[in-house]
Amino acid sequence: MSALDLLNPTSSLYEKRGPVFPRAVDGRFRRLKWAVMLLCLAVYYITPWLRWDRGPYAPDQAVLIDMAGRRFFMFDIEIWPQEFYYVAGLLIMAGIGLFLVTSAVGRAWCGYACPQTVWTDLFQHVERWIDGDRNAQLKLNAAPWTAPKLGRRLTKWSIWLVIAVATGGAWIFYFADAPILAGQFLAGTAPFVAYATVAVLSFTTFTLGGFMREQVCIYMCPWPRIQTAMLDEKSLIVTYRDWRGEPRTHGLKSGGVKKAAATGEKVGDCIDCNACVAVCPTGVDIRQGPSIGCINCALCIDACDSVMAKLNRPRGLIDYLNLDDEKHERGGGAARPILKTLLRPRTLAYLVVWASIGFFMLFTLGNRSRLAVDTAQDRNPVVVTLSDGQVRNGWTVKLRNMENRPRTVELAMTGLPQGRMWTDAMDRRSAGRSVSLQLSPDATTTLHLYVAAPAGAADETPFALIARPLGAAPGSREAREAARNVKFIRQ
């Protein structure tokens, strides 16, 4: 484009997007993508419908984000708002896991497990089923709008829309009991937020997976740009071995492979069939080198390997390779084992950190107390002088029973030897060193606690409130106590 073209208001600085219709291919990486896609879709759509028996006092949905009850249930694990650090730990593990995968095999997350990739792949399979493979799709796209073309388009878009609505519908089932919410949704009695969420997610899934596709990966997603800071010369990426493939057949001076062989002209293994480009879901030509459009799905490897097999040439013209091995092979060295490339200090360090966080979280989950006590001292007034001359303080006490069954708890005081305690549901004449309380299952019990003690010289006396479960086996997880240190103020 010349300088005069840039000044022309009718010219554009950007090339118009051409539709990408990837050709079907079979091979080990395509089968791996099938397996990952089916696993991801199965987990997403089926998980809300799985049941998990937690007893009569807790929901029986295996995975549930209970916004009303402020709980997160995942099989035997229950997370309360005060334990949100477990969710933060999972997010940290997910981030380090992405660092590990990227450092080892480049954008493998993008190529196999990213939601955009999974749903785009699903939509493309539907499109291929309705419109045919690549050549048929190109021909139909260029054809004028006729009744058969319109029929195919409407059929395809209808199936896409069903998938999109199912995707949005599956999401809301994670936040309420799936069978009940499904009945309410179909009956029109579900909350408005459920319909709004399904509408938004259906629109985004239909649009991003059906029409924008590779544009999301190339232009919208920040992850490809972030990855450049995590890749190094030892990271495996999809690479074209140009030192083996060049010169291509169409660039031979003698005009053909046989004539080149007769004249001694070097012939590369690449026959310029463009199979690698035809199968790429983002339309990238890997022979031009690494680019932001390559998602490391390795479908071009499957396509090239199949061509090499037909030509009785060794596979691997396009393959996973790192920069160090590329220099090694250019110099005539043999290919190095993949396992040796993957197991190196950087990836092992990521793995150790990732596993350490996971083991630490599992350890704390297995050893956490399912009983907690919180206190807030009365401030108006802080000190009350009783008729017998003793001083009284008051506290609002919250006891959290994080078991999904009722529990009997003794709330006792240690320290403040002459102090006595009672609740607002008791008479002061029943005051003692402890009170017995019934806690509802999986709930917080709030009570008002009074403590009286003789006036003394000390302005403040520290003591502790200890909640002890009654009836639990000594040393068991259910028998673990919860304590809170407080201060008795006399003036």
Side-chain angles (χ1 to χ4, degrees):
M1 182 179 292
S2 67
L4 291 177
D5 292 330
L6 294 175
L7 295 176
N8 185 357
T10 61
S11 64
S12 174
L13 294 175
Y14 302 98
E15 181 183 5
K16 182 180 179 182
R17 172 187 178 257
V20 177
F21 299 108
R23 178 171 63 81
V25 64
D26 186 33
R28 53 178 179 167
F29 293 109
R30 175 64 264 184
R31 289 190 288 272
L32 177 60
K33 275 181 67 69
W34 271 114
V36 174
M37 182 186 75
L38 293 176
L39 176 63
C40 291
L41 292 174
V43 168
Y44 178 74
Y45 288 119
I46 296 175
T47 298
W49 300 92
L50 298 178
R51 301 293 99 183
W52 194 263
D53 185 14
R54 300 185 181 92
Y57 301 104
D60 64 348
Q61 186 161 310
V63 178
L64 176 65
I65 304 172
D66 184 5
M67 301 296 288
R70 295 185 296 175
R71 307 283 189 279
F72 171 53
F73 297 93
M74 187 170 65
F75 300 98
D76 263 344
I77 299 174
E78 178 183 353
I79 303 298
W80 283 55
Q82 295 83 359
E83 300 172 316
F84 190 79
Y85 46 82
Y86 286 113
V87 179
L90 287 175
L91 294 176
I92 293 172
M93 287 187 67
I96 295 176
L98 279 176
F99 298 163
L100 170 61
V101 170
T102 302
S103 178
V105 286
R107 293 180 63 185
W109 158 260
C110 300
Y112 292 91
C114 173
Q116 174 65 20
T117 296
V118 170
W119 266 267
T120 296
D121 203 15
L122 177 61
F123 278 30
Q124 286 176 340
H125 286 305
V126 171
E127 184 174 57
R128 197 174 290 121
W129 177 54
I130 299 296
D131 295 341
D133 207 353
R134 172 180 166 81
N135 291 337
Q137 292 178 39
L138 289 170
K139 183 178 179 181
L140 182 64
N141 184 67
W145 282 94
T146 59
K149 179 175 179 177
L150 180 61
R152 287 178 181 271
R153 287 289 188 264
L154 292 177
T155 302
K156 178 178 66 176
W157 293 340
S158 298
I159 297 175
W160 284 357
L161 187 59
V162 170
I163 295 173
V165 173
T167 302
W171 179 257
I172 65 173
F173 293 148
Y174 283 90
F175 297 87
D177 187 79
I180 294 176
L181 182 57
Q184 294 174 341
F185 192 90
L186 295 176
T189 58
F192 171 76
V193 67
Y195 295 102
T197 301
V198 171
V200 171
L201 292 180
S202 299
F203 173 76
T204 54
T205 304
F206 184 78
T207 304
L208 300 182
F211 298 98
M212 299 190 68
R213 295 184 177 179
E214 79 285 348
Q215 295 179 91
V216 176
C217 305
I218 297 174
Y219 301 113
M220 295 175 61
C221 181
W223 186 239
R225 285 109 182 136
I226 298 173
Q227 282 184 341
T228 57
M230 290 179 283
L231 291 172
D232 58 24
E233 63 278 358
K234 297 184 182 298
S235 300
L236 289 172
I237 58 175
V238 176
T239 304
Y240 168 62
R241 288 184 166 97
D242 60 278
W243 60 93
R244 173 186 151 188
E246 303 295 332
R248 305 178 198 175
T249 303
H250 81 282
L252 296 176
K253 297 179 181 179
S254 54
V257 176
K258 293 182 179 179
K259 291 182 179 180
T263 59
E265 184 180 359
K266 181 184 176 183
V267 180
D269 282 348
C270 180
I271 62 173
D272 214 21
C273 63
N274 282 332
C276 56
V277 182
V279 301
C280 181
T282 60
V284 168
D285 187 348
I286 193 62
R287 296 170 299 178
Q288 296 179 1
S291 72
I292 200 170
C294 178
I295 60 174
N296 269 30
C297 65
L299 295 183
C300 55
I301 298 178
D302 285 338
C304 188
D305 284 352
S306 66
V307 173
M308 292 297 104
K310 294 175 184 178
L311 298 175
N312 293 321
R313 297 177 184 176
R315 67 160 302 277
L317 180 59
I318 301 175
D319 207 353
Y320 277 107
L321 196 67
N322 62 43
L323 293 178
D324 278 356
D325 287 347
E326 178 182 343
K327 296 176 183 176
H328 177 70
E329 290 188 24
R330 281 185 185 274
R336 295 172 180 171
I338 294 293
L339 189 60
K340 184 177 180 180
T341 303
L342 294 176
L343 299 180
R344 64 183 196 275
R346 182 174 179 179
T347 56
L348 291 176
Y350 281 138
L351 182 61
V352 168
V353 173
W354 181 85
S356 299
I357 295 173
F359 282 126
F360 177 76
M361 289 176 60
L362 289 175
F363 176 79
T364 55
L365 275 171
N367 290 276
R368 60 181 176 165
S369 174
R370 307 311 293 148
L371 181 66
V373 55
D374 290 321
T375 61
Q377 191 162 14
D378 294 347
R379 292 299 177 189
N380 190 21
V382 176
V383 178
V384 175
T385 302
L386 303 178
S387 58
D388 59 359
Q390 289 195 330
V391 176
R392 188 193 77 186
N393 288 187
W395 288 266
T396 298
V397 178
K398 293 185 178 181
L399 292 162
R400 291 195 304 277
N401 174 21
M402 291 177 275
E403 295 276 352
N404 51 23
R405 59 183 178 84
R407 302 171 81 182
T408 302
V409 172
E410 177 190 58
L411 184 64
M413 56 188 300
T414 60
L416 197 64
Q418 293 180 301
R420 295 295 181 269
M421 60 190 293
W422 70 97
T423 70
D424 53 357
M426 299 168 53
D427 189 273
R428 184 190 172 191
R429 289 173 294 183
S430 304
R433 298 287 293 176
S434 65
V435 295
S436 182
L437 303 167
Q438 293 291 328
L439 303 186
S440 300
D442 216 17
T444 299
T445 300
T446 303
L447 57 96
H448 205 80
L449 182 73
Y450 299 106
V451 174
D459 293 339
E460 296 181 355
T461 303
F463 70 101
L465 292 174
I466 300 178
R468 299 189 182 97
L470 300 179
S476 66
R477 175 180 170 182
E478 290 77 13
R480 289 174 184 162
E481 301 174 349
R484 177 67 63 176
N485 294 321
V486 294
K487 290 182 179 180
F488 186 83
I489 301 175
R490 289 184 170 87
Q491 56 180 331

